[in-house]
């Protein structure tokens, strides 16, 4: 489940206390934002932290996502190993050299409208309140 995968991300950062807090969270539906914020802040502290969290997250995706072929269900990781090379699946690393723009606004298309700025934040608040 998501809380177990989040615990593993904190464990990858060698932050056992944070992992314990995630594991002890009783109201995951409403309590997860604080844990993800803490994880994001920890990730931003160093490139090694970011890489550890990203690696943990990718492993969680490989384990959680299902691939169905011929009525058989495989984890994404198993499917990549079994079918990947023969069918052209692969993993890759993309590196860039350009600096990130300083002023990038987050936008989210929703029901034919593009939300940004305060309007986007208000919508996110509504989703959080709704649960």
């Amino acid at each position: 489940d998501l809380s177990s995968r989040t615990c593993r991300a904190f464990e990858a950062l060698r932050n056992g206390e944070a992992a314990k807090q995630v594991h002890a969270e009783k109201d995951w539906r409403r309590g997860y934002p604080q844990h993800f914020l803490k994880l994001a802040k920890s990730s931003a502290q160093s490139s090694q932290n970011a890489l550890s969290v990203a690696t943990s997250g990718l492993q969680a995706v490989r384990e959680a996502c299902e691939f169905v072929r011929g009525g058989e269900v495989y984890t994404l990781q198993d499917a990549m190993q079994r079918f990947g090379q023969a069918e052209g699946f692969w993993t890759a690393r993309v590196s860039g050299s350009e600096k990130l723009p300083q002023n990038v606004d987050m936008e989210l298309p929703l029901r034919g409208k593009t939300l940004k700025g305060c309007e986007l934040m208000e919508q996110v608040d509504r989703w959080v309140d709704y649960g």
Side-chain angles (χ1 to χ4, degrees), residues 3-4 6-12 14-25 35 38:
S3 63
S4 296
T6 306
C7 282
R8 286 197 303 243
F10 277 119
E11 288 165 355
R14 309 221 188 303
N15 189 337
E17 184 57 36
K20 287 178 190 174
Q21 290 172 0
V22 168
H23 189 67
E25 179 65 59
H35 301 296
K38 188 183 295 184

Side-chain angles (χ1 to χ4, degrees), residues 109-129:
L110 181 67
R111 297 184 188 124
K113 187 176 181 183
T114 301
L115 303 180
K116 58 185 172 181
C118 290
E119 192 175 27
L120 175 58
M121 294 307 297
E122 289 167 1
Q123 179 61 54
V124 170
D125 287 340
R126 285 192 293 274
W127 285 330
V128 168
D129 290 343

Side-chain angles (χ1 to χ4, degrees), residues 53-109:
V53 170
T55 300
S56 179
L58 285 173
Q59 186 59 37
V61 167
R62 290 181 183 120
E63 293 169 3
C65 290
E66 294 182 340
F67 184 93
V68 180
R69 168 71 54 86
E72 296 289 323
V73 179
Y74 305 90
T75 64
L76 181 60
Q77 183 166 333
D78 289 342
M80 291 290 286
Q81 290 172 348
R82 183 177 290 244
F83 307 111
Q85 218 171 21
E87 298 188 19
F89 298 130
W90 65 90
T91 59
R93 176 179 284 185
V94 178
S95 298
S97 59
E98 295 295 319
K99 292 191 181 229
L100 291 175
Q102 294 300 313
N103 297 320
V104 177
D105 290 328
M106 174 80 72
E107 294 182 353
L108 176 71

Side-chain angles (χ1 to χ4, degrees), residues 24-46:
E25 179 65 59
K26 298 296 182 209
D27 187 6
W28 185 248
R29 187 172 186 191
R30 290 188 182 13
Y32 79 89
Q34 68 180 344
H35 301 296
F36 278 104
L37 179 60
K38 188 183 295 184
L39 188 59
K41 286 179 178 179
S42 295
S43 297
Q45 288 178 352
S46 72

